[in-house]
């Protein structure tokens, strides 16, 4: 495995899909929010690879997109699970503060995921055998499990607190890559604060 030290950087092209995947929890329609989260989560890997001038093969894309947490995983009992998910999502839309907490937590997770994916690509962790890609994907999952109390949560709360009309914003970005006031505000807040977390991000990178 390569051990190249790659410094943190803020680049909207790397963090845009991560941000939208996190903000999807604010969409007031159960299952629609889940769809947009799934959509932008899957777009992340290809978008980050493109930004790094890379084209990942299909097995690598599938491995990095494989859900290890079980949140979006299908199963034989998916109709029952779908009903359960709908009811749970509906309750969170009724109690909107729960949706806000979910969005904050999701932003925190997806920002970490975007940072780590970018690092893995720039450091060359995905340039070798499929077995090493699997190990890298497992390491990514393990690190994400330990980020529940990161300093990024404060910024996530700030971004979520300024969001308006999230469904329309995500739809415009998905269809035309158009930045409305909500997207521009999120981008600006992240750009201004990202440097505050440089030491933290450096700590996530192995020596």
């Amino acid at each position: 495995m390569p051990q190249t030290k790659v410094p943190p950087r803020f680049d909207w092209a790397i963090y845009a899909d991560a941000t939208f995947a996190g903000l999807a929890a604010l969409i007031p329609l159960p299952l629609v929010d889940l769809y947009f989260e799934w959509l932008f989560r899957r777009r992340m890997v290809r978008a980050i690879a493109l930004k790094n001038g890379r084209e990942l093969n299909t097995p690598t894309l599938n491995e990095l997109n494989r859900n290890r947490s079980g949140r979006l995983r299908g199963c034989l009992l998916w109709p029952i699970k779908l009903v359960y998910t709908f009811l749970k999502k509906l309750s969170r839309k009724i109690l909107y503060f729960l949706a806000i907490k979910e969005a904050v937590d999701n932003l925190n997770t997806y920002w970490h995921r975007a940072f780590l994916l970018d690092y893995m690509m720039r450091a060359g962790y995905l340039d070798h055998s499929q077995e090493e890609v699997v190990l890298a994907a497992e390491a990514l999952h393990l690190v994400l499990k330990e980020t529940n109390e990161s300093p990024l949560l404060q910024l996530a709360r700030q971004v979520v607190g300024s969001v308006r009309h999230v469904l329309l914003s995500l739809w415009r970005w998905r269809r035309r890559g158009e930045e409305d006031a909500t997207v521009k505000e999120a981008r600006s807040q992240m750009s201004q604060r990202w440097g505050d977390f440089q030491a933290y991000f450096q700590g996530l990178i192995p020596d």
Side-chain angles (χ1 to χ4, degrees):
M1 280 284 200
Q3 296 296 325
T4 306
K5 201 75 167 173
V6 180
R9 58 174 175 164
F10 178 77
D11 190 321
W12 180 240
I14 292 171
Y15 293 100
D17 287 324
T19 302
F20 300 140
L23 292 178
L26 296 176
I27 295 175
L29 301 173
L31 302 187
V32 175
D33 58 345
L34 205 60
Y35 166 74
F36 275 94
E37 180 186 349
W38 172 85
L39 175 70
F40 286 112
R41 181 185 185 278
R42 291 189 62 84
R43 280 169 47 119
M44 286 173 61
V45 179
R46 196 181 295 275
I48 294 170
L50 181 63
K51 181 62 183 178
N52 282 284
R54 303 283 300 280
E55 185 173 345
L56 302 179
N57 59 40
T58 299
T60 297
L61 285 170
N62 290 341
E63 186 61 39
L64 293 173
N65 279 324
R66 185 161 67 87
N67 192 302
R68 290 169 166 81
S69 67
R71 283 192 70 232
L72 307 178
R73 189 181 301 163
C75 62
L76 293 176
L77 299 177
W78 70 266
I80 297 174
K81 188 174 182 179
L82 191 64
V83 172
Y84 170 76
T85 300
F86 175 82
L87 293 175
K88 183 174 70 172
K89 289 285 185 178
L90 181 61
S91 68
R92 289 186 174 182
K93 303 313 174 185
I94 295 173
L95 300 173
Y96 191 64
F97 69 91
L98 293 177
I100 292 176
K101 182 183 185 305
E102 182 182 12
V104 169
D105 291 341
N106 286 356
L107 271 181
N108 177 58
T109 297
Y110 285 121
W111 283 343
H112 280 86
R113 186 170 189 263
F115 167 76
L116 292 167
L117 285 170
D118 180 52
Y119 165 70
M120 289 162 60
M121 292 180 196
R122 299 174 74 201
Y125 282 82
L126 305 178
D127 293 342
H128 301 282
S129 68
Q130 191 62 26
E131 289 76 12
E132 289 188 317
V133 170
V134 172
L135 289 175
E138 291 287 354
L140 170 66
H141 175 64
L142 291 175
V143 173
L144 291 179
K145 288 175 64 176
E146 303 299 325
T147 59
N148 295 332
E149 297 297 331
S150 86
L152 288 175
L153 287 169
Q154 182 181 9
L155 177 58
R157 294 186 188 99
Q158 180 182 344
V159 170
V160 168
S162 65
V163 167
R164 300 291 183 273
H165 312 298
V166 65
L167 178 57
L168 182 58
S169 297
L170 299 192
W171 178 256
R172 286 172 173 170
W173 179 265
R174 169 68 181 89
R175 295 287 295 176
R176 300 187 293 273
E178 177 183 328
E179 292 189 5
D180 63 6
T182 292
V183 175
K184 290 178 180 177
E185 178 67 14
R187 178 177 183 171
S188 175
Q189 290 172 328
M190 293 172 65
S191 178
Q192 292 172 14
R193 293 286 311 280
W194 213 252
D196 298 346
F197 309 109
Q198 180 158 343
Y200 171 74
F201 279 125
Q202 287 284 7
L204 296 177
I205 298 175
D207 295 326

